[in-house]
């Protein structure tokens, strides 16, 4: 067992904090980070229909884990462990975001509509329009790289910084749009939550009803299976009714559904 593993096992968080800051390599910091992530519980944060999962804060865990939660909360260990991957350039962020969003737009455009009305307000229209607008940004980024000319074949040294600025504007605008849309939608989230509760209650009631009638249903179907080959469905259902297994119409409907 390594020194830092002993500190984790003994929950000596102050000593562990000092160790990773002054004596640990990046690789060891990554191992410590992974160990703390497994140790500190993860909570779900919710607001309306939004939710995210994150590690608990120091005040949310038992006292013997508060130090570990504090190390994770500060983020310095993560920054050291991830190094260059901790803070990516805006151009890298955009290059990762763009194909993901385009893929999502294509998937949304292909889904059946859930609302009725004007076509230019449909889900498919909004998804296609978003995809079309986003498609302009790579061309703008490409235009930032001056390729040089006959007299000066060296590319413009300002090209990459300009791309970074354009990518930053794109990422900021996209993120701002998302937050703005979520802010507008908060007014309707309560209705969505209420509707979800109603549907959940309805499903639960249906499950309870099905459970209550399951035994009766099985008796009906078993008796119909015995009688139908000899009497046919209609006469078999009438016999079942006389035996107290329900009304003829209900028995026949259930039998026909069972046969499909």
């Amino acid at each position: 067992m390594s020194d830092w593993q002993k500190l984790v096992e003994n929950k000596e968080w102050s000593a562990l904090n000092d160790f990773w800051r002054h004596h640990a390599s990046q690789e060891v910091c990554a191992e410590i980070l992974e160990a703390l992530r497994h140790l500190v519980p993860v909570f779900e944060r919710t607001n309306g229909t939004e939710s995210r999962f994150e590690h608990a804060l120091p005040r949310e865990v038992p006292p013997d884990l508060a130090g570990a939660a504090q190390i994770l909360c500060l983020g310095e260990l993560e920054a050291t462990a991830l190094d260059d991957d901790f803070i990516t350039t805006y151009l890298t962020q955009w290059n990762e975001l763009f194909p993901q969003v385009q893929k999502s737009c294509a998937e949304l455009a292909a889904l059946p509509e859930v609302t009725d009305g004007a076509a230019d307000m449909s889900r498919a229209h909004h998804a296609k329009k978003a995809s079309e607008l986003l498609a302009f940004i790579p061309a703008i980024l490409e235009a930032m790289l001056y390729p040089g000319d006959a007299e000066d074949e060296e590319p413009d040294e300002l090209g990459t910084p300009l791309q970074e600025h354009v990518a930053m504007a794109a990422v900021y605008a996209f993120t701002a749009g998302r937050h703005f849309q979520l802010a507008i939608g908060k007014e309707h989230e309560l209705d969505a939550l209420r509707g979800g509760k109603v549907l959940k209650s309805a499903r639960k009631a249906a499950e309870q009803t099905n459970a209550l009638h399951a035994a009766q249903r099985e008796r009906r179907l078993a008796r119909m299976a015995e009688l139908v080959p000899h009497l046919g469905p209609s006469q078999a259902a009438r016999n079942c009714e006389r035996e107290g297994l329900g009304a003829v119409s209900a028995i026949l409907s259930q039998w026909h559904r069972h046969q499909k």
Side-chain angles (χ1 to χ4, degrees):
M1 182 179 292
S2 64
D3 291 339
W4 71 264
Q5 288 174 323
K6 293 177 183 177
L7 295 175
V8 170
E9 184 178 17
N10 296 327
K11 298 180 179 178
E12 298 179 32
W13 308 123
S14 294
L16 180 68
N17 191 47
D18 180 75
F19 175 84
W20 78 257
R21 288 179 183 277
H22 302 107
H23 308 291
S25 64
Q26 181 186 346
E27 183 179 353
V28 171
C29 284
E31 293 174 357
I32 295 173
L33 176 65
E34 190 66 20
L36 295 185
R37 283 175 170 174
H38 279 89
L39 194 61
V40 177
V42 173
F43 287 170
E44 182 181 16
R45 314 291 187 191
T46 62
N47 184 311
T49 59
E50 289 184 81
S51 67
R52 71 170 182 271
F53 292 91
E54 63 184 23
H55 284 94
L57 298 173
R59 66 174 182 272
E60 297 173 318
V61 297
D64 62 342
L65 288 179
Q70 180 69 15
I71 293 174
L72 286 182
C73 182
L74 290 175
E76 295 171 300
L77 173 61
E78 182 180 10
T80 302
L82 299 180
D83 197 23
D84 291 341
D85 291 333
F86 184 71
I87 301 178
T88 58
T89 66
Y90 287 107
L91 186 57
T92 298
Q93 292 179 46
W94 174 254
N95 287 336
E96 292 175 352
L97 177 64
F98 178 71
Q100 295 173 9
V101 177
Q102 289 290 62
K103 181 175 180 290
S104 296
C105 285
E107 292 171 349
L108 287 169
L111 289 175
E113 293 296 334
V114 293
T115 56
D116 298 321
D120 62 350
M121 300 179 190
S122 66
R123 173 165 59 189
H125 174 80
H126 288 309
K128 290 175 182 177
K129 195 65 179 178
S131 179
E132 291 171 3
L133 292 171
L134 289 172
F136 282 104
I137 296 178
I140 297 172
L141 288 169
E142 185 66 25
M144 294 300 101
L145 290 178
Y146 175 64
D149 53 31
E151 297 180 359
D152 178 14
E153 296 183 358
E154 291 296 323
D156 188 351
E157 293 182 358
L158 293 177
T160 300
L162 284 173
Q163 280 195 324
E164 180 69 5
H165 284 301
V166 173
M168 180 180 71
V171 171
Y172 274 28
F174 189 89
T175 306
R178 177 178 176 275
H179 283 295
F180 181 69
Q181 188 65 38
L182 288 171
I184 293 175
K186 284 297 174 184
E187 186 173 346
H188 306 291
E189 285 188 10
L190 189 58
D191 292 334
L193 290 171
R194 286 172 179 158
K197 289 179 180 178
V198 170
L199 290 174
K200 185 177 180 180
S201 297
R203 282 195 295 267
K204 185 176 181 180
E207 290 171 0
Q208 291 173 339
T209 300
N210 285 335
L212 287 172
H213 297 294
Q216 176 79 331
R217 181 171 60 250
E218 292 304 318
R219 286 196 296 271
R220 284 177 181 173
L221 294 175
R223 186 61 174 146
M224 286 289 287
E226 293 175 2
L227 297 175
V228 167
H230 307 289
L231 304 176
S234 297
Q235 185 58 47
R238 284 192 286 272
N239 279 27
C240 287
E241 183 180 49
R242 286 194 293 270
E243 294 173 10
L245 294 177
V248 170
S249 59
I251 294 171
L252 282 173
S253 295
Q254 201 167 71
W255 175 254
H256 291 316
R257 286 197 303 271
H258 177 67
Q259 296 303 301
K260 291 181 180 179

